[in-house]
Structure formats: C-alpha cells, structure tokens
Amino acid sequence: MTDGKSKSEMSEDELNERHASKMAKKKAARDKILATKTIEKGLVMVHTGKGKGKSTAAMGLAIRAIGHGMKVGIVQFVKGVWATGERDVLDKFPDHVTIKAMGDGFTWETQDRARDIKAAETAWAEAKVMIADPAYKMVILDELNIVLRYDYIPIADVIETLKSKPHDLHVVITGRNAKDALIDAADLVTEMTLVKHPFRSGVKAQAGIEF
Amino acid sequence: MTDGKSKSEMSEDELNERHASKMAKKKAARDKILATKTIEKGLVMVHTGKGKGKSTAAMGLAIRAIGHGMKVGIVQFVKGVWATGERDVLDKFPDHVTIKAMGDGFTWETQDRARDIKAAETAWAEAKVMIADPAYKMVILDELNIVLRYDYIPIADVIETLKSKPHDLHVVITGRNAKDALIDAADLVTEMTLVKHPFRSGVKAQAGIEF
C-alpha cells in the first residue's frame, strides 16, 4: 500500500502501483470525454503569433491529409515562405496537391502597393475557386493574415466565404496578426509564441530550417 | 506629397507613394540586419506549449529538410502521435527518412510504469545513435518532453548529448511542459498556445487533422 507515503519514500514497486492506478483513472476520464465528441466537420484553423511554425505546421497538416488520400489545395499569399525544397516533396503527389503561388515578393520586396493589391486579389480569387470545389478536403491559405492586415482584400468577403464553405472542408489560414473577426469565425486557433530565437545571436537563415 | 495628411485623406496615388517609401525603409533595415547574420550551425529547436502544431510543425520541418536532400531521423517517444497517413508519405523517401516508433501507448494507455520506462530508455538509446551518426542532418525527438517530465530518462544525459552533437545537426524536440534546462540548452523555442479549440464543443478527432 502506498497510502500516506510521499513519493520519495516509496519503493519502485510502490511507485509502479501508484502510477498504474493514477493512469487507470486518467484513461477512464479521457474515454468518458471522448465519448461525448461525436461531431465531424471541416474545421477553420488559424495559425498566428510571432513565433515560428505557422506555415510549417500547415505543411505538416497537408502531409497528414495527403497521407489519408485527401486532396489539398494551397494558395501562398506571400512568395518564398514555402521554398523549392518543400515544393519538390509536394510535387511527388500531383494528384493530391495543387499549389498556387501568388504575390511576388510582397511588401518590402516589391514596394509597389498597387501591384501587391492586384496579386492579393488574384490569389484570393483562386482560393475561392478551391474552397468551392468539392474535390478539395483541405485548403491552406498561407500568409493570408498578412494580406488581410493591409486590407488588400476585404475581411467581410473572407468571413462570408468561410461561413458558406463545404461542410467537410478543412481550411487552414496562417500568418501573424490574425484579425479578431477571423478568430471569431475559426474553430481552432493556435498562437505560435517566440520564446527564444537564434536570429538574435547572429545565426543566419539556413536551408531545411527557414527555407 | 503626402506630408501632414491622415491616411483617410490620401488619394490612392498618395497611399501608394507612402507605401513605397515605407517599404523601402523597411527593406533597407532588414537587409542591414541580415548582413550581420553569418553563423551557420545546427540548431536545437523545441516546440512546446499546450496548443496544437508541435509535432505537426516538426513534420513540416522534416519535409522541408527532405526537400533539401537532407537525411532525417525521427524517434517517436509516444505512439500514435504521427499516424499511418503521415508515415505513408514519409515512406516514399526511404533514403531520406528513418522512423523509430517507440513506446507502445504510453502512460494512461499502458498503465505500466516499468514498461514505459523501458520503452523510453530504448527510444533514447536509438536517438543517441542517430544524433552521433554524421549521415543525419536533422533528428526529431517527438514527444521527448513527456518522457522527460516523468523522469523516465535523465535530463542531464539529454543536455549532455545535445551539447556534444555534430555541429551541423539540427535537433527538434516536441512535447508540452519542456523542462527549463532544455529551454536553456535550446537555440530556438516556440510555444504553441491554445487560443480556441473545437474539442471543447463536441467535435471529434478527425483524420487529416488530429491523426
């Protein structure tokens, strides 16, 4: 019996026994919760925040979906976030992935607002076609938040499109500074927070990590 | 000239002009910072926090690395986090990915502490072999933080192994509750924070999203 003893006073056998009963309770609680989860529907997911991993996690979701035989559409609102390396991998699954790379350089690279707006509008038109197409089970709108932040496309149109999307379609939207209206419309929002970054200590962007 | 006018008083031409000069300044500042970043080295990256995307972003990094022709080693310390779907995709690149799936069920599934410790030790031994092997350019230790939290393997051994890793090797460690010693030893730490989750409103885990 382990009653009344502190963890450090217990033998290995007692620790094991205590662990087994704790975990059995945890599993029972978990199973009970899981039994209440019965709704299946396409989710609107947002990856935002200043940390790393917003687009990378979206890429991971694309791979997961492809692995399940789903068709994935990707619209890149900012060029160069997903580099040639990743595209080479995705190109191995031409039946399962369509990538539209819009916006050439965006903001500080182009320094041409009128051209940026045009590129954003074209990308958004492509995105709407994908979202309406029942063949797609996941549509990734990479860095859409940046375009929304500059008001290059109307947030109201985006919210309306998400509300009327096919029931089983998952939509993943990435980019820092997600608008409140988008967060309200989303099912799942994750904020990637920067805790520590090597860029500050002179380490340069490297293949396989940043691109 | 746009001087002295508020944004709402400006014509489209004035807005465009203002944007171009703002972005030119931003690009100049960015280029200046980039020029100071000259160090190239393998990074120790930690994805932690209660939010989604920790393992998914690691998967995205694996894909990025594979796309660059790097060899990636993956050790899963908890079973089932990366499902068959994702493994099917990674299996298309047998020359570039080695996956070791250790731990069968872990904690509340097995309820067997002694077996969990054994599984963790075996997985960690495999991980050390991969980390020491110069063929690998990225090693992902998926859910290592969970094993460390239960003290199933000694944190001191992990820190020591990371400190003596090959210079150009990237190591990615995932799992909530990253230990402070690990955060100290890491180059890049991202915390995934849960802002909104559909699980709370009865939506069940779905293929392509959670597995």
Side-chain angles (χ1 to χ4, degrees), chain A residues 12 15-16 19-20 23-24 26-27 30-31 33-34 36-43 45 51-53 55-61 63-68 70 81-86 88-89 92-93 107-109 111-114 116-117 138 150 152 170 183-211, chain B residues 12 15-16 19-20 23-24 26-27 30-31 33-34 36-43 45 51-53 55-61 63-68 70 81-86 88-89 92-93 107-109 111-114 116-117 138 150 152 170 183-211:
Chain A
E12 271 299 296
L15 279 171
N16 289 345
H19 178 85
M23 289 302 135
K26 205 161 179 170
K27 179 167 162 52
R30 206 181 131 88
D31 288 349
I33 293 168
L34 278 174
T36 68
K37 311 296 174 192
T38 52
I39 304 166
E40 262 190 79
K41 64 164 188 168
L43 302 177
M45 287 169 274
K52 310 273 294 179
S55 294
T56 315
M59 163 68 78
L61 283 172
I63 295 297
R64 188 172 284 168
I66 292 165
H68 283 283
M70 297 175 175
V81 179
W82 288 1
T84 44
E86 288 152 288
D88 285 351
V89 173
K92 300 247 189 237
F93 306 91
T107 59
W108 57 78
E109 289 301 332
Q111 301 166 23
D112 183 337
R113 183 169 168 271
D116 287 349
I117 292 176
M138 180 180 285
Y150 284 88
Y152 287 175
H170 299 293
I183 289 176
D184 289 344
D187 297 294
L188 193 154
V189 179
T190 306
E191 185 173 353
M192 276 69 170
T193 312
L194 184 77
V195 177
K196 201 171 175 184
H197 197 300
F199 210 61
R200 296 212 175 125
S201 41
V203 177
K204 74 178 199 182
Q206 293 172 94
I209 303 300
E210 341 279 332
F211 60 90
Chain B
E12 271 300 295
L15 279 170
N16 290 345
H19 178 87
M23 289 301 134
K26 204 160 179 171
K27 180 166 160 51
R30 204 180 132 90
D31 288 348
I33 292 168
L34 278 173
T36 69
K37 311 296 173 190
T38 51
I39 304 166
E40 260 189 79
K41 65 165 187 169
L43 302 176
M45 288 168 274
K52 310 274 292 178
S55 294
T56 314
M59 163 69 77
L61 283 172
I63 295 297
R64 188 174 285 169
I66 292 165
H68 282 282
M70 297 175 175
V81 178
W82 287 2
T84 44
E86 287 151 288
D88 286 351
V89 172
K92 301 246 188 241
F93 306 92
T107 59
W108 56 79
E109 289 302 332
Q111 302 167 22
D112 183 338
R113 182 169 169 273
D116 288 349
I117 292 176
M138 179 180 287
Y150 283 89
Y152 287 175
H170 300 294
I183 289 176
D184 288 345
D187 297 293
L188 191 155
V189 179
T190 307
E191 185 173 354
M192 276 68 169
T193 311
L194 184 76
V195 178
K196 201 172 175 184
H197 198 301
F199 211 60
R200 297 217 173 120
S201 42
V203 176
K204 74 180 201 183
Q206 294 173 93
I209 303 301
E210 342 280 332
F211 60 90

Side-chain angles (χ1 to χ4, degrees), chain B residues 124-125 128 148 153-164:
Chain B
W124 175 237
K128 282 172 91 166
L148 286 172
I153 57 173
I155 179 79
D157 187 17
V158 172
I159 301 298
E160 192 44 49
T161 305
L162 292 175
K163 282 196 174 144
S164 55

